[in-house]
């Protein structure tokens, strides 16, 4: 294994361990052992566990920017919305179900989300990152979607921030449920579908 590959493997293993055990409970020896190298060899790549965490966080940020549906969406861009004209409640439900499955199963997003969930109360930087990724980004996405549906005369005018919170908050709860109890994924998919249909019914123009 060359040096570059070893470094990447250390970060990959560290993210796995941090997302399960948390940062404080994961030791350098544990990371080195899982990679299959000596502790001294690990220190030739990273000077400390904090440096490993810093690089893991950078990797999570890059992965989020590259993989997250929410960061790539621009509901004000005609190019983005051109295949969403005439969106029905059922269309929206299926789209959101697909997003939930992607969020739950994409390795980069899933492990990063679990790391942030564990560390958000112990690390200020990760707390801020958790807010940006799992609140602000999601709210921005759903507010944009709702504004688009209002412009399209699908939904009636109302406070878009409150509408976005009403639509997204249960979905966030159900994603966390899938993380804890993967066997309940199909139950969650059905809940998401019913929730979106009811939301559209409540706000139908």
């Amino acid at each position: 294994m060359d040096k570059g590959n070893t470094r990447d493997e250390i970060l990959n293993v560290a993210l796995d361990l941090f997302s399960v055990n948390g940062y404080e409970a994961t030791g350098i020896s544990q990371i080195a052992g899982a990679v299959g190298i000596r502790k001294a060899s690990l220190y030739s790549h990273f000077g400390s566990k904090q440096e490993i965490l810093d690089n893991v966080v950078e990797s999570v940020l890059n992965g989020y920017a590259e993989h997250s549906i929410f960061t790539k969406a621009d509901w004000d861009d005609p190019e983005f919305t051109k295949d969403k004209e005439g969106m029905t409640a059922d269309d929206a439900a299926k789209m959101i179900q697909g997003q939930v499955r992607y969020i739950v199963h994409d390795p980069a997003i899933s492990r990063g989300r679990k790391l942030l969930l564990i560390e958000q109360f112990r690390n200020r930087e990760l707390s801020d990152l958790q807010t940006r990724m799992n609140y602000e980004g999601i709210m921005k996405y759903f507010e944009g979607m709702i504004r688009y549906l209002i412009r399209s005369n699908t939904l009636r005018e109302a406070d878009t921030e409150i509408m976005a919170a009403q639509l997204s908050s249960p979905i966030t709860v159900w994603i966390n449920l899938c993380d804890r109890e993967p066997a309940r994924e199909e139950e969650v998919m059905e809940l998401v579908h019913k929730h979106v249909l009811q939301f559209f019914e409540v706000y139908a123009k």
Side-chain angles (χ1 to χ4, degrees):
M1 185 182 293
D2 64 38
K3 189 166 184 176
N5 288 342
T6 302
R7 181 182 173 86
D8 290 343
E9 180 64 13
I10 291 168
L11 294 177
N12 188 52
V13 165
L15 178 53
D16 275 339
L17 294 172
F18 292 162
S19 68
V20 173
N21 304 324
Y23 173 75
E24 295 295 338
T26 301
I28 287 286
S29 297
Q30 189 178 2
I31 297 170
V35 175
I37 60 175
R38 293 180 294 112
K39 187 175 176 179
S41 298
L42 185 146
Y43 279 120
S44 71
H45 298 277
F46 298 98
S48 65
K49 189 170 74 164
Q50 180 62 50
E51 186 180 343
I52 294 173
L53 178 64
D54 291 342
N55 279 267
V56 164
V57 170
E58 182 180 356
S59 175
V60 168
L61 278 170
N62 291 338
Y64 182 71
E66 180 179 349
H67 296 277
S68 173
I69 295 162
F70 301 122
T71 60
K72 295 181 176 181
D74 183 354
W75 289 93
D76 297 317
D77 180 2
E79 188 65 25
F80 176 76
T81 59
K82 68 181 180 181
D83 63 343
K84 298 172 178 63
E85 292 180 12
M87 179 187 289
T88 66
D90 195 58
D91 293 335
K94 288 176 181 174
M95 179 183 73
I96 293 170
Q97 283 176 319
Q99 291 167 345
V100 170
R101 289 195 194 276
Y102 181 74
I103 289 165
V104 168
H105 293 288
D106 180 89
I109 293 176
S110 177
R111 293 184 301 167
R113 187 177 65 257
K114 291 172 184 175
L115 167 64
L116 295 179
L117 186 64
I118 292 171
E119 295 297 327
Q120 63 183 314
F121 300 111
R122 293 188 288 213
N123 182 304
R124 184 65 206 178
E125 181 184 8
L126 296 185
S127 175
D128 291 343
L129 184 55
Q130 165 82 328
T131 299
R132 291 201 308 274
M133 289 174 60
N134 294 321
Y135 174 71
E136 292 171 358
I138 290 172
M139 284 290 288
K140 180 181 176 183
Y141 174 87
F142 280 104
E143 283 190 66
M145 175 183 169
I146 288 165
R147 284 196 304 271
Y148 169 76
L149 292 168
I150 290 172
R151 289 197 306 269
S152 303
N153 292 314
T154 302
L155 301 180
R156 61 181 171 83
E157 290 268 4
D159 186 314
T160 56
E161 183 177 7
I162 297 302
M163 292 171 74
Q166 290 171 336
L167 182 56
S168 66
S169 295
I171 294 168
T172 301
V173 169
W174 291 326
I175 289 171
N176 291 335
L177 178 60
C178 283
D179 284 339
R180 292 191 304 274
E181 301 185 40
R184 299 181 69 175
E185 183 174 328
E186 294 311 313
E187 174 191 346
V188 164
M189 290 301 110
E190 181 59 27
L191 287 169
V192 168
H193 189 261
K194 290 193 293 186
H195 170 61
V196 175
L197 295 186
Q198 180 167 297
F199 178 87
F200 271 67
E201 184 177 335
V202 168
Y203 286 105
K205 187 153 186 179

